[in-house]
Amino acid sequence: MQLNEVKQLDKNDPLASKRAEFALPPNTLYLDGNSLGALPKSSAKRIKEVVSQQWGNDLISSWNKHHWIDLPIQTGEKIAPLIGAKSGQVIVCDSISVNLFKLLTAALNIQTGRNVVVSEQGNFPTDLYMVQGIEALLGRQRCSLNMVSTVDIESALTDDVAVLMLTHVNFKSGRIHDMKRLTKLAHDKGILVLWDLAHSAGALPVSMDECEADFAVGCGYKYLNGGPGAPAFLYVAHRHLDSIQQPLSGWMGHANPFQLTETYQPAAGIKQFLTGTPSVIAMASLDAALDIFENINMQQIREKSVGLTQCFLALKDQYSELKAMKLISPEDVNIRGSQLSFSHDAAYPICQALIDNGVVPDFRAPNIIRFGFTPLYLAYEDIFNAIEVLNKVITEKLYLNEKYQQRAAVT
Ligand SMILES: *Cc1c(COP(=O)(O)O)cnc(C)c1O
């Protein structure tokens, strides 16, 4: 694959114009949008407005005047079409971790006589930690984690299982689970299913309603570009909204928060999943970031994502020196998300050397280099240039430099 072919791919890219909607730093090839999405210009503008005009001038009246109070629902409604959800089932609040707590405990509560939560080894740590915390809180007879290997998921779906909790796209390998099939298998056994969409939302099409999934959580700061620590979202299927109660019964999820009554009465619908006061500045940033998705569809994003990862692999294969980097993501593009992970003994210093040379991936312990591909702001030519830098770092052994060996707190 030559540079002119790569340039042709950019010429034919229907999403090419989206790049101009982001404020990207010069001389940086950003392949880490799966950890922290880049800054949308719309978010920068909105944050400024919320801080100076709304907070600065209009102060408390902004809750009504600028509809701050509606942000959790409004922003959730913008995420809904990206994950194949009809209106009234998605809300933006808290972090994935906190939302997992709400949904897991609520689900366990309606699964009378069942106590097991099945999840997968290699799932994102916080997902597993949250189940362990609930186990400690409620006791094993109410919640018991069964963490199995990927191949054993199906056989673990027994009659004592209350919830199957999986991450749709694995954060390390990028492997995609068959959501529809696993949800159906679980439902056939009376098991509720909770999906973590952290690496799915905004990166590939998801069909929550069509898969008849019960619950989901997802991330605001990865492929949705909401900004560092942007609030997360949660999805609850319509059919559960009347029968379920979440335990973090805060005033924002009350039917009438400003009547200030002493007895908790949950709001109708998805709003009952709110707990405390929304983080307005962060949520406004996410809300503005989502406008970038307005006139495009997830199929276009998926096509570009596949194109970018395939291009990366084809270019990498042209250099025999890069063979030492072993692909641990699936070869099969149909079961691979918008990332490529490679193992290498020197993964950490290679990562540091790449960053120093203007290519930003991330490192995941113990020996993985992870490249994330955000179709909205990456060009095929960026991939070409990133491979040139990668080749230089490896062949010239730049990563052996002492300064790249020191571990930072966040990797
Ligand atoms: C990034 C990520 C999270 C983050 O959880 P927070 O509580 O929002 O920090 C959770 N799960 C997965 C799979 C992730 O990739």
Side-chain angles (χ1 to χ4, degrees), residues 13-294:
D13 172 15
L15 299 181
S17 66
K18 287 283 162 187
R19 183 187 180 89
E21 297 186 32
F22 289 86
L24 293 160
N27 308 318
T28 301
L29 301 169
Y30 193 63
L31 300 174
D32 207 10
N34 53 339
S35 264
L36 174 64
L39 169 66
K41 290 176 181 167
S42 54
S43 292
K45 185 164 165 263
R46 184 77 172 275
I47 292 168
K48 230 180 180 164
E49 186 183 307
V50 170
V51 171
S52 319
Q53 286 170 283
Q54 302 182 1
W55 180 18
N57 275 325
D58 297 332
L59 289 163
I60 192 84
S61 70
S62 296
W63 284 103
N64 293 314
K65 190 174 174 188
H66 301 294
H67 308 285
W68 286 355
I69 200 70
D70 301 326
L71 272 174
I73 293 277
Q74 176 187 312
T75 312
E77 288 295 314
K78 288 185 184 177
I79 294 172
L82 306 182
I83 60 167
K86 287 207 184 70
S87 178
Q89 303 173 106
V90 181
I91 195 158
V92 173
C93 52
D94 305 308
S95 60
I96 286 187
S97 305
V98 172
N99 290 333
L100 282 169
F101 180 85
K102 294 182 218 173
L103 294 176
L104 282 166
T105 44
L108 283 165
N109 221 21
I110 55 172
Q111 287 285 60
T112 332
R114 296 170 178 246
N115 67 332
V116 176
V117 176
V118 169
S119 195
E120 189 182 9
Q121 288 160 8
N123 194 352
F124 193 79
T126 210
D127 299 50
L128 302 170
Y129 299 163
M130 292 314 293
V131 184
Q132 291 164 27
I134 296 167
E135 227 175 39
L137 178 73
L138 299 181
R140 283 276 164 83
Q141 67 283 10
R142 298 274 312 279
C143 175
S144 172
L145 173 62
N146 184 16
M147 193 166 50
V148 298
S149 63
T150 309
V151 293
D152 292 327
I153 293 173
E154 287 176 33
S155 58
L157 302 178
T158 49
D159 289 342
D160 53 349
V161 178
V163 183
L164 170 63
M165 176 191 74
L166 293 172
T167 296
H168 183 221
V169 178
N170 185 277
F171 78 104
K172 266 192 190 168
S173 67
R175 183 183 209 92
I176 306 176
H177 274 305
D178 186 339
M179 182 182 283
K180 197 166 192 173
R181 190 169 155 275
L182 283 165
T183 302
K184 168 113 185 40
L185 280 174
H187 282 176
D188 287 347
K189 296 271 170 66
I191 299 165
L192 295 169
V193 189
L194 194 175
W195 290 98
D196 185 333
L197 305 178
H199 293 272
S200 314
L204 44 92
V206 179
S207 316
M208 293 309 296
D209 289 350
E210 193 198 317
C211 292
E212 297 183 354
D214 301 284
F215 312 106
V217 292
C219 196
Y221 55 80
K222 289 171 180 160
Y223 292 99
L224 299 182
N225 313 304
F233 67 87
L234 66 79
Y235 162 97
V236 177
H238 205 265
R239 63 185 176 278
H240 292 304
L241 286 171
D242 288 338
S243 52
I244 203 162
Q245 193 174 353
Q246 64 107 348
L248 297 183
S249 43
W251 74 309
M252 282 290 151
H254 190 278
N256 287 300
F258 290 92
Q259 280 188 358
L260 305 168
T261 57
E262 285 166 1
T263 308
Y264 182 72
Q265 167 81 41
I270 195 72
K271 220 174 144 193
Q272 67 192 286
F273 286 89
L274 288 182
T275 298
T277 307
S279 179
V280 170
I281 301 169
M283 209 174 286
S285 169
L286 172 60
D287 186 67
L290 289 163
D291 290 343
I292 295 177
F293 290 89
E294 211 166 23

